[in-house]
Amino acid sequence: RAVLQPQTTPTRLTLTSYALLSPVFAAFGLVLVAACANASNVMLARANARHREIGIRLSIGASRGRIVRQLVTEGLVVTTLAGLVGLTLAAALLRLATYAFVVMLPPTVAARVRFVPLDFDYRVFGFAFIVAGAATLLFALLPALQATRVSLTAALRGQLSSGVSSATLRKILVTGQVAVSLLLLIVAATLVRNGTAIQATELGLETSRVISVRPRG
């Protein structure tokens, strides 16, 4: 029986490796930017709805920095919950991918193969939350600063004095999110089309239902 155990293999990153992985990193970065722009827009709309509350707190002596810290802390709470949900989904999808790979094996081979479960990697956990924290500081700080830039008199009357700049900022965020999403859709469609064309290419030999194994003694 063969036991397949996944493990990390240290590999030196060269310029060629960076060139090969740069599209993947760019795609992940664009997805993160689109999601953060969406969350930032929601936080900005929520802060605008609380402009009277913010004006009252400023009028009774709360400093602008303290309110900014509170709004950023609320963003960190959302980020923490989103990070936990993301890691849970990643673990579940990884198990599903492993199961799908076993199902695709020929029955005679699948009966002799056993996968060792993946161990929890704290480095991945830490990296995910560092990125989530950095994204929160970047995209939650701007709505917090915008929300505290209010006129006390207008805020106490229930009027949004910074409506023009806030609306402009929200339009910029929505436009950027739509542009990034459209770019990702175009790239994904191109990759799918190219992958389909590669699979349909005649290689001159039978490649289906063939497994190549290189055992190490």
Side-chain angles (χ1 to χ4, degrees), residues 16-29:
T16 304
S17 302
Y18 281 118
L20 292 175
L21 296 176
S22 58
V24 179
F25 292 152
F28 288 158

Side-chain angles (χ1 to χ4, degrees), residues 56-79:
I56 293 175
R57 299 180 68 177
L58 289 173
S59 64
I60 61 177
S63 63
R64 185 185 178 192
R66 185 171 184 177
I67 297 178
V68 169
R69 287 195 299 269
Q70 177 188 349
L71 296 177
V72 173
T73 302
E74 293 176 1
L76 285 174
V77 173
V78 175
T79 301

Side-chain angles (χ1 to χ4, degrees), residues 187-202:
V187 173
T190 303
L191 290 176
V192 170
R193 185 184 64 179
N194 292 341
T196 304
I198 291 174
Q199 289 182 352
T201 302
E202 183 62 38

Side-chain angles (χ1 to χ4, degrees), residues 8 14 37 183 186:
T8 57
T14 60
L183 176 62
I186 293 174

Side-chain angles (χ1 to χ4, degrees), residues 93-166:
L93 291 175
L94 188 59
R95 290 193 178 93
L96 180 62
T98 303
Y99 174 77
F101 177 75
V102 174
V103 171
M104 292 172 59
L105 292 175
T108 56
V109 177
R112 299 179 176 274
V113 173
R114 181 174 63 88
F115 277 89
V116 176
L118 290 173
D119 296 329
F120 186 81
D121 196 336
Y122 289 95
R123 293 171 296 182
V124 177
F125 184 83
F127 176 77
F129 275 91
I130 288 174
V131 172
T136 302
L137 293 179
L138 289 175
F139 287 88
L141 187 60
L142 187 60
L145 293 175
Q146 183 68 30
T148 55
R149 193 178 303 163
V150 296
S151 172
L152 296 183
T153 304
L156 292 176
R157 291 178 180 176
Q159 301 173 355
L160 188 59
S161 59
S162 61
V164 177
S165 59
S166 177

